Amino acid sequence: MSNERRVSPRMTEDLHFNRVEGGPPRYARRTDKPVQYLVIVNAAGAVIGYVWANDEDDAAGWTVRPAGGDEAFNLGFIWATKLHDAKAKGLAPTEALAEMVRDSDPSASSRVQSGSLSEAPTLAALKELAAQA
């Protein structure tokens, strides 16, 4: 019996990736127009981020509040997923926000802060708000 170690060709061949066009529908991630937004809080009521929308550019997204730390970053996945689901249902960005308000669960790990629907003059202004400690 030989002491040589046999190496599978699967472990030595180059990987080839085929780019697939399309994918799930998504809202645009940028706009230079005013945005409506919701304040998102954790179970303790601390602000962790903002979900924003602009119908004119079919844009929407999640903006994390860095002061919220890892928890805010991790909980943002929930809100980003809600946006992806809303787009897949064909909802306009602000309709997605309205759905989030209707479906917000006060006992969840994160929720929409009651009465928080507001407007920022630009997405950049909202990101500045998020950056404030």
Side-chain angles (χ1 to χ4, degrees):
M1 183 163 171
S2 170
N3 285 347
E4 281 186 45
R5 188 169 179 213
R6 186 164 178 246
V7 178
S8 169
R10 291 185 315 213
M11 304 300 284
T12 59
E13 292 177 359
D14 289 336
L15 292 176
H16 298 279
F17 294 98
N18 296 321
R19 183 177 181 163
V20 177
E21 296 299 324
R26 307 243 171 164
Y27 295 115
R29 295 176 19 189
R30 295 187 185 122
T31 181
D32 58 357
K33 297 175 179 64
V35 295
Q36 290 184 15
Y37 68 90
L38 297 170
V39 178
I40 306 301
V41 296
N42 65 12
V47 176
I48 59 167
Y50 306 88
V51 179
W52 59 268
N54 172 279
D55 286 344
E56 191 174 348
D57 287 336
D58 195 37
W62 162 256
T63 297
V64 69
R65 185 167 180 255
D70 291 342
E71 177 190 35
F73 180 80
N74 292 335
L75 289 172
F77 176 76
I78 294 168
W79 299 95
T81 300
K82 289 177 186 284
L83 286 171
H84 295 309
D85 293 346
K87 180 64 174 176
K89 290 190 280 189
L91 297 180
T94 56
E95 289 175 329
L97 295 185
E99 182 177 76
M100 289 177 194
V101 170
R102 281 192 310 272
D103 296 347
S104 189
D105 178 0
S107 65
S109 58
S110 63
R111 61 181 166 75
V112 174
Q113 186 178 56
S114 181
S116 69
L117 181 63
S118 300
E119 187 169 305
T122 63
L123 179 55
L126 180 60
K127 289 183 177 188
E128 285 178 28
L129 174 65
Q132 295 175 1

